[in-house]
Amino acid sequence: ASVPSTLLRFAAVMAADAWHTQQTVTALRQGSLPIIGKGDGYFSMIHADDAARAIAAVIGRAEAVAGKTYNVVDDAPATMAEVFSYAARILRAPRPKSVPALLAKLAVGGITLDVLAASYRMSAARIHADTAFAPAYPTYKETWNQIAATIDA
């Protein structure tokens, strides 16, 4: 017998206690997180609490969503420059500097450059339409406000 399944594709899952978020905060505060070029690549993210809410919403509609694929992401696509400039401001860190891709590769390595320069613009429209999922942190601003408040508490 087959088991019904649903695929959830998560954006970058962010939370104050996540190691990668803490590394990002440290890099921003040290002024060592660069914006690659113009920073016009999209960075899709979701707060960890909202990721859990999305899972619960899908479980609550298991039969209706069986066999479907959903993006789990906040509701405001934003560029790397927008996200990290805002995060730096809310964390009272220096504004990230824009650096050419070649220089960034020398400083942070090819894999990190690939992550920082990639553009992932995702939409959660389908999961909103098919389930009761609505993020408590609908944009990167609410997510970073919560992260900053928790880290600085």
Side-chain angles (χ1 to χ4, degrees):
S2 67
V3 176
S5 60
T6 302
L7 177 64
L8 300 178
R9 291 189 296 219
F10 293 92
V13 179
M14 306 295 286
D17 60 350
W19 70 268
H20 60 278
T21 303
Q22 293 171 357
Q23 286 184 326
T24 300
V25 168
T26 298
L28 283 166
R29 287 185 167 161
Q30 291 174 347
S32 61
L33 181 69
I35 299 296
I36 309 304
K38 295 178 184 176
D40 54 1
Y42 279 83
F43 181 65
S44 294
M45 57 191 290
I46 187 77
H47 192 284
D49 292 348
D50 286 334
R53 284 183 189 89
I55 293 168
V58 166
I59 290 170
R61 305 243 325 139
E63 289 184 26
V65 301
K68 295 184 180 179
T69 299
Y70 295 99
N71 292 329
V72 181
V73 61
D74 70 21
D75 292 333
T79 65
M80 288 279 201
E82 290 171 307
V83 172
F84 291 129
S85 294
Y86 183 81
R89 185 165 49 91
I90 203 76
L91 292 165
R92 295 179 302 282
R95 183 177 175 88
K97 293 178 177 46
S98 178
V99 298
L102 182 58
L103 183 59
K105 185 174 184 177
L106 294 172
V108 300
I111 294 172
T112 301
L113 175 64
D114 289 345
V115 171
L116 293 174
S119 185
Y120 301 101
R121 187 174 186 168
M122 300 167 65
S123 169
R126 187 173 190 191
I127 196 169
H128 289 315
D130 291 356
T131 73
F133 172 65
Y137 304 95
T139 76
Y140 67 91
K141 290 180 179 179
E142 288 84 7
T143 294
W144 276 105
N145 289 345
Q146 190 277 333
I147 290 167
T150 301
I151 287 174
D152 291 338

